[in-house]
Structure formats: structure tokens, C-alpha cells
Amino acid sequence: RAVDSDSIEAGLLTLVLKGNASYFAGSGRNTLDFSLELDDLITLHLMEDGSASTSSKEAAVTTLLGTPGEDNSDSNGLDTDGYLLNGAFWLSINRAAGTASLEPTDQLLAVCPFNPPRPLNNNPPLETCVLRRDVRARGYPARAGGVATAMEVLAVAAAKDGTEAAVDGLAAGLDESSGESAFLATILGDNVYAAQLAPDFARAIHERYDLNGRYRRAYWINPGYEWTPTQTGGTPLFSVSQKLYLFALVSLDENWSR
């Protein structure tokens, strides 16, 4: 989906996980300790001008996404190591650990690398399509000297039967020293505007989606891409992507102990 915006704050991405309350909190169910978890999230940043042509990187990405994936079984039964979701992504599975991860295929990496190489002779243009890991194994990675590019809004550490009250309390007590304000400062700069915007926006999301830390959760994703000096020929740059694709791996966690 394309979204027009005239400022980086208008382009801030909010991803909301919305589970059905009748499943997660219904009487007589054994699902009261279940939760929705954002295991992995990868964003694809396009910096191409104009509409996609047949020779553009966006067209190549679209073709890969439209390539049929594999069945998750073989002649011996269920695949144990994973399978292709499409031409762009592979679902890697560790059945012994009970985990899975979202991985780009070599074909996608050839079009949109994770770490764009330095321009030849230190002379842009830069890569027009890059990948970024925003969430990995439920954590928020940051490269050396960088900052996290995603966060959970009103994240709490509490037993599953206590997350809703904990989220409500956190929302009520939000102020300009919150983690939400610190995150927006990495996007908008360390200023009063960002510090005041974050608590108000987080509370609005909480009210709109009734966040409870278990099956109704929200995440912010930075819509820009930070180019390091080694990628630009010596000057750090921060650019807002012309288009951004978001790919998420969401799981149903049935084993979180109290």
C-alpha cells in the first residue's frame, strides 16, 4: 500500500497485532497464557523516482514476491529445515528449538542488499533498494554506532495474566522521559516536539487498539534509512524511502510460562 506523506513523522509506521479476544480470553479456554509475538521484521526501502518500470528494482522485487513458494512438506513428510515462501523469502525452521526466522533469498539480496557497498570512486548514486532487519528473534538489532529502528509501544515485562493492567498503568504514566520519546528522538531529533509527541501518540494508539501486551500489541518502525559514511563515500546521510515494503513473521506463542 502506498501512503503519501510530507514529513517523516507522518511516515512513521505503526504495526498492530490484533488477536481475537474470544480466542485468547474466552471463558473455558486454555489459551489465557497464549500471546502473539513479532518474531522477525524486515523492511525493504526503495529510493527510485517515478513509477515502476519493467527494468526497475521494484519490478524485480515484485516479480520475486509473485513467484510461487514451496509446499512445507516433502516425500518424507514435513520439512524440518524450512521452505521457500516465494522467490524473495525463505522460512527457516529450527524444530528442535521450536523457532523460525524470516530470511531473504539470494535472488532478493542480489537486487536489494542488507549492506550496500560503497559507491565506486566515492561517487554516488547510491543503491536504490536496500533491506533492513528491524526485528530479529523478538529483539531490536542495531548496527555498531547505530540505534534500533523498531520498538514495541507500551512494552511491559509481566506475567501474561497481568500484562493488560501493566500496559494500562504504563500508558497512564507516560511522560517525556519514556522509551517512546527516546525512540522518536532518533527519528525527529532530540527536541521538545519529539518528546511531547511520543506519549500523546502512544496513548492514542493504546486507546484506539486497546493494547494489552499479549494479543493486542503495537510496534513503531522508522520509515527512513540511515546511510553510514562507508556507504556514501564519507558523509552520513538519512533519507526517507520513496516506498517501503514491510515483511513480518508473527507467531502464536503457547509456551510462555508465568
Side-chain angles (χ1 to χ4, degrees), residues 44 46-67 87-88 107-108 111-112 128-129 243 245:
L44 185 151
L46 282 163
M47 272 79 74
E48 294 177 319
D49 294 328
S51 59
S53 65
T54 55
S55 61
S56 70
K57 292 203 171 184
E58 183 176 11
V61 170
T62 301
T63 297
L64 289 172
L65 291 172
T67 302
Q107 291 82 357
L108 179 60
V111 178
C112 306
T128 56
C129 184
K243 292 185 179 180
Y245 287 73

Side-chain angles (χ1 to χ4, degrees), residues 88-108:
F89 288 97
W90 163 273
L91 183 67
S92 178
I93 300 174
N94 184 332
R95 297 197 182 278
T99 60
S101 62
L102 188 64
E103 304 293 341
T105 62
D106 290 341
Q107 291 82 357
L108 179 60

Side-chain angles (χ1 to χ4, degrees), residues 2 6 30 45 48 88 100 106 119 133 151 169-170 172 175 187 189 202 209 218 224 249-250 256:
D6 56 8
N30 62 349
H45 300 253
E48 294 177 319
D106 290 341
R133 284 195 185 276
M151 71 165 292
L170 184 59
D175 59 25
I187 303 173
Y209 296 106
L249 176 61
V250 178
W256 184 10

Side-chain angles (χ1 to χ4, degrees), residues 131-172:
L131 293 174
R132 186 181 71 196
R133 284 195 185 276
D134 300 275
V135 179
R136 182 160 199 175
R138 305 181 187 177
Y140 306 98
R143 56 188 173 186
V147 296
T149 54
M151 71 165 292
E152 182 175 0
V153 180
L154 298 174
V156 296
K160 286 194 175 181
D161 57 356
T163 55
E164 184 169 1
V167 169
D168 290 344
L170 184 59

